[in-house]
Amino acid sequence: MKKLIILLRLSYWTAAIADFVVAILLLIPERMGATEITYPMGLASAVVFSWAVMLMISDRKPIERKWILIPTILVVAMIAIVRTWFSLEGVIEFNLALLLFAIALIILMAYSYYYACKHATSN
């Protein structure tokens, strides 16, 4: 049980910290391949910040709120795809470390969710 809670909390906090970083970077136009901040960048920053807060709240009842990992995996995957696409288009610089981080985070969250579901069915 302790391993399960540690895995879930690690998933929530790693994704939340990454989201807080993304929320800040969205407000820095040069990091986003833009020359000035735009309205969609501000909106996206607000959404990402809110998602990070939701992940932190999930930490309070990690097993009961394991479901939040499913949409979080989707969001991380979509962000990685969009970042890779824009890198290939030359809008932003490609960063292998960020892509590997996203893949590792997806694997961590998927394993945590699987392990939590497996534990729930065995009890």
Side-chain angles (χ1 to χ4, degrees):
M1 178 69 102
K2 190 171 187 172
K3 178 184 174 184
L4 171 61
I5 291 173
I6 289 171
L7 270 174
L8 288 170
R9 287 191 166 151
L10 182 63
S11 294
Y12 297 143
W13 278 96
T14 305
I17 291 167
D19 281 348
F20 283 128
V21 170
V22 170
I24 292 167
L25 292 177
L26 277 165
L27 299 175
I28 304 171
E30 296 79 25
R31 296 287 301 178
M32 295 296 117
T35 55
E36 61 184 30
I37 194 164
T38 62
Y39 181 64
M41 290 166 63
L43 289 176
S45 179
V47 170
V48 172
F49 184 87
S50 300
W51 197 277
V53 171
M54 184 176 59
L55 285 163
M56 290 174 56
I57 291 169
S58 295
D59 179 67
R60 302 313 314 148
K61 293 184 179 179
I63 296 171
E64 294 85 351
R65 295 179 179 152
K66 68 183 179 289
W67 63 268
I68 197 63
L69 291 176
I70 295 170
T72 304
I73 290 167
L74 180 62
V75 168
V76 172
M78 290 177 6
I79 288 172
I81 291 167
V82 167
R83 180 160 177 61
T84 302
W85 183 328
F86 276 78
S87 296
L88 294 173
E89 292 291 322
V91 177
I92 57 174
E93 189 175 322
F94 179 76
N95 188 325
L96 181 61
L98 287 176
L99 180 60
L100 293 176
F101 174 74
I103 292 168
L105 183 56
I106 290 167
I107 291 169
L108 171 66
M109 291 186 297
Y111 178 73
S112 298
Y113 182 78
Y114 167 79
Y115 191 69
C117 288
K118 183 178 171 186
H119 182 308
T121 57
S122 67
N123 284 342

